[in-house]
Amino acid sequence: MAAPDPLDFAAAIATGALRVVDLTATLTPDFPVIVLPPEFGQAAPVRIREISRYDGRGPGWYWNNITLGEHTGTHFDAPIHWYTGKDLPNNAVDTLPAEHMIAPACVIDCSGEAAADADFLLTRARVEAWEEEHGRIPRGHWVLLRTDWSKRSPRDYANLKEDGAHTPGPDAEVMKWLVEERGILGFGTETIGTDAGQASHFEPPHPAHHFLHGAGRYGLQCLCNLDRLPPTGAILITAPLKILNGSGSPLRVLAVTRP
Ligand SMILES: O=C(O)C(=O)c1ccccc1S
Ligand SMILES: [Mn+2]
């Protein structure tokens, strides 16, 4: 196959022949971060502190200092993030292959199920039903779980109760199957984690993290606008910050798709 001309891709975007969809939540100081049991370390809250704004601190410029955790807002999980991926090659955000930062995506719409049950779990049977309609999930594709969770107010994201968070996600069987049998590149969610809120009680605990990162695959969290994507045919651009030995990073996630 003759190499396609990248300029044709740029021209298609400039003319609207291809559409760009921003899948990124705005990073604000009150954007919720994952809350772990109190005995563990916690993510730093997002802080945006003005340095100057065209004033005596800097007459001609406006800038801020920001502080935040790697796993804040719409962010990327690298294999090194989880113990199952800790010894893999090129497993950090500064070493993962650049070719993995542009890849196709399948979108599985479970917004109805998640609206009815905050603890909805994606199963292998549910994904196979999706495949019956849209075809087998190709190797090297992202699988994005649409729940419309991103349409909730930030304070409802974690949906915390006495026994922890109650948010939808995948069960252990489907994650093992997606990674080992379908060879996906990664799994993306609208919720604060790639795992369900109650996933610490699953076997293995946090199965999305366990199987994805153990296979050198990636996670995306706090995505939005998945309702604007087709079930197949979108390309994702996911380039995390190049943080030395970074376990993940906030990033801008863009999708390119037909109008
Ligand atoms: O990757 C994350 O943001 C995430 O969900 C997480 C982060 C740290 C510890 C456990 C989990 S489960
Ligand atoms: Mn994360």
Side-chain angles (χ1 to χ4, degrees), residues 70-72 75-77 81 192-194 209 221:
E70 290 171 326
H71 296 253
T72 306
H75 72 274
F76 184 100
D77 283 5
H81 172 44
I192 292 177
T194 49
H209 287 78
Q221 298 127 96

Side-chain angles (χ1 to χ4, degrees), residues 182-233:
R182 291 293 184 264
I184 63 171
L185 178 69
F187 188 77
T189 61
E190 294 177 60
T191 44
I192 292 177
T194 49
D195 275 298
Q198 290 292 296
S200 60
H201 307 299
F202 295 1
E203 184 51 43
H206 299 106
H209 287 78
H210 182 96
F211 291 113
L212 284 167
H213 305 320
R217 297 315 180 184
Y218 312 114
L220 288 171
Q221 298 127 96
C222 295
L223 296 169
C224 59
N225 292 326
L226 296 188
D227 56 326
R228 297 184 56 204
L229 298 187
T232 62

Side-chain angles (χ1 to χ4, degrees), residues 1 30 43 48 64 74 77 104 115 123 136 156 176 187 240 248 257:
M1 173 177 89
D30 60 2
I48 304 173
N64 302 290
T74 300
D77 283 5
T123 62
R136 182 184 169 113
D156 295 338
K176 180 175 172 68
F187 188 77
T257 182

